[in-house]
Amino acid sequence: MVKRAFAALLCLVNGLLITVNVWAENAANRVNHAVILQYHHIATDTPASTSLSPKVFAQHLDILKQEGYTVWPLPKLVRALQSDQLIPDRTVVITFDDAYDDIVLQAAPMLKKHGFPFTVFVSTDFVDRRQPGYMTWDQLRSLKKQGATLANHTRSHLHLLRRPEDVGQKQWLQTVREEIDGAEQRIEDETGEHWRYFAYPYGEADEALIKAVTAWGYLGFGQQSGAVNKSLLRSGMAPRFPFNQSYKDLADFRIKASSMPLPLLKESFPGWVFEDAVKPELKLTLAPHRGKLSCYASGQGSVPIQSLSDNLFMVQVDKPIPVGRSRYNCTLPVAGQPGRYHWHSRMWIRKRDDGSWYPEP
Ligand SMILES: [Zn+2]
């Protein structure tokens, strides 16, 4: 009996040593990329498309704690990427959009328990109006005391691409700028936070809008999935992995949290917003790599990939993309690290056939 207990103890110690060794190896491994996680509600009684249950969120945090991840505040990651400082492998940043009150009620205590920093992108009009379901400025200030970063998500959470027909492009950009500068000012007035980090409402943007927002001095964050590096950050709409009840599978979370950017040298595509039944051609030029590139499209599964040369790939769906927001997600296995993938996503926006905008689900 004693012998068996001793053997069990030895196994446990060995297991712990192996875990510690793996962890130490990861900690020593420095890289130039990270992953930004995006959540909205952490609740069970809010819309499924923007909610993750507190139970699954707690599981995400446990995985980050137990499986060798480093959780950084967003400003630390931005600084590191911008100044080419190396980052511990498996570093993630946690972000929440919209400033729903379940973040202060449900998510913040769990994050505090783990000592994890996080960012909230705030749409300030809802807070100013004290709209039920949103945090108050007092609650946001309490999060700041807990170490949260408070950032910009416009004043009214408008669709930035939906310019009314009777409004000119210049006037519309002025409206958008007032929305973004106005939110930045309200956040600074109420909390002293002033980062000029901006999350695009609905993750929607096009090239002209990203260019304008960047020229106004903001660093943009999107909702197209994928890991982030310096060039993706500089693209003006850094990728983030969105999570909701449809992505509650923990194996999926592990793949996303541990993902790396594609070794992308060049990307070309026909546009951002479409008004007809298109099958967009995405061309990806990759650095020399091992493993096979796979791409998937929303609602269509695996997408055919044509290899135009050793490192140039053309990705194109068989059937037109659906009306609304959809994506091509491309992955490539990480050489020598089973279970890890390079991940890159391209978002498409297709209006309805009569040129009108689709309703939000
Ligand atoms: Zn939002």
Side-chain angles (χ1 to χ4, degrees):
M1 187 66 189
V2 173
K3 228 177 184 178
R4 210 181 293 162
F6 184 67
L9 184 68
L10 260 186
C11 281
L12 184 70
V13 170
N14 273 336
L16 279 177
L17 278 178
I18 290 166
T19 312
V20 168
N21 278 338
V22 168
W23 181 81
E25 222 168 74
N26 281 337
N29 195 2
R30 304 259 155 179
V31 297
N32 59 3
H33 54 78
V35 162
I36 307 176
L37 310 172
Q38 185 214 8
Y39 303 91
H40 289 91
H41 289 286
I42 302 299
T44 51
D45 54 356
T46 45
S49 65
T50 49
S51 303
L52 192 71
S53 71
K55 184 182 153 205
V56 178
F57 184 65
Q59 289 169 331
H60 285 191
L61 300 187
D62 287 341
I63 289 172
L64 296 179
K65 190 66 144 198
Q66 289 160 11
E67 299 183 13
Y69 288 86
T70 303
V71 182
W72 271 9
L74 184 57
K76 186 170 178 177
L77 176 64
V78 167
R79 274 196 303 271
L81 290 174
Q82 285 175 336
S83 59
D84 297 310
Q85 286 165 35
L86 289 176
I87 297 165
D89 191 19
R90 294 177 193 259
T91 290
V92 304
V93 164
I94 299 169
T95 68
F96 301 93
D97 282 13
D98 303 344
Y100 295 121
D101 63 357
D102 42 73
I103 302 314
V104 70
L105 301 172
Q106 294 280 0
M110 293 185 218
L111 290 155
K112 193 173 188 176
K113 195 180 87 188
H114 284 88
F116 288 161
F118 57 98
T119 293
V120 182
F121 287 99
V122 185
S123 289
T124 55
D125 280 358
F126 302 89
V127 184
D128 280 336
R129 281 204 298 267
R130 293 182 158 265
Q131 184 145 323
Y134 288 80
M135 283 187 263
T136 62
W137 286 116
D138 273 342
Q139 286 173 321
L140 285 162
R141 281 188 284 268
S142 78
L143 293 188
K144 186 188 171 183
K145 271 196 198 128
Q146 186 179 320
T149 303
L150 305 176
N152 193 327
H153 199 35
T154 68
R155 287 184 60 151
S156 72
H157 206 278
L158 73 172
H159 279 95
L160 300 182
L161 293 176
R162 299 189 181 189
R163 173 168 61 90
E165 271 174 21
D166 56 346
V167 176
Q169 176 68 13
K170 208 173 154 194
Q171 194 189 340
W172 180 245
L173 274 184
Q174 189 54 36
T175 303
V176 171
R177 183 164 194 180
E178 282 163 15
E179 278 274 344
I180 301 175
D181 283 348
E184 192 71 19
Q185 190 62 52
R186 286 299 297 134
I187 293 166
E188 185 174 11
D189 289 348
E190 292 288 346
T191 70
E193 294 274 282
H194 179 51
W195 297 99
R196 297 183 93 83
Y197 298 160
F198 174 66
Y200 288 88
Y202 312 98
E204 289 182 347
D206 63 8
E207 203 172 348
L209 184 63
I210 292 172
K211 222 173 140 185
V213 169
T214 305
W216 301 333
Y218 292 91
L219 201 53
F221 296 86
Q223 294 186 25
Q224 78 285 19
S225 50
V228 63
N229 59 15
K230 185 179 188 177
S231 71
L232 289 162
L233 188 73
R234 287 170 70 170
S235 72
M237 193 161 75
R240 294 184 295 162
F241 278 107
F243 291 96
N244 60 30
Q245 282 305 100
S246 331
Y247 301 103
K248 63 182 177 187
D249 175 45
L250 296 178
D252 170 84
F253 176 75
R254 286 186 169 95
I255 286 175
K256 289 171 177 171
S258 68
S259 69
M260 303 183 188
L262 261 191
L264 195 58
L265 298 176
K266 195 174 164 217
E267 179 183 24
S268 62
F269 51 95
W272 299 71
V273 181
F274 303 94
E275 291 201 5
D276 44 14
V278 287
K279 297 186 273 186
E281 287 180 6
L282 175 67
K283 285 186 185 154
L284 302 171
T285 309
L286 302 185
H289 58 278
R290 281 187 280 156
K292 188 171 172 284
L293 182 72
S294 308
C295 298
Y296 305 85
S298 316
Q300 295 197 36
S302 182
V303 182
I305 302 177
Q306 225 181 309
S307 180
L308 302 178
S309 72
D310 271 0
N311 292 315
L312 173 60
F313 301 90
M314 209 254 290
V315 184
Q316 187 178 26
V317 278
D318 287 326
K319 287 180 289 178
I321 54 167
V323 169
R325 290 183 291 274
S326 66
R327 289 183 286 207
Y328 288 177
N329 286 332
C330 295
T331 61
L332 176 74
V334 174
Q337 296 194 53
R340 279 190 95 175
Y341 293 87
H342 301 278
W343 186 303
H344 183 76
S345 175
R346 172 56 47 195
M347 184 186 277
W348 314 115
I349 295 170
R350 181 179 160 195
K351 293 168 84 172
R352 293 197 284 206
D353 290 344
D354 63 2
S356 65
W357 284 100
Y358 45 86
E360 274 310 317

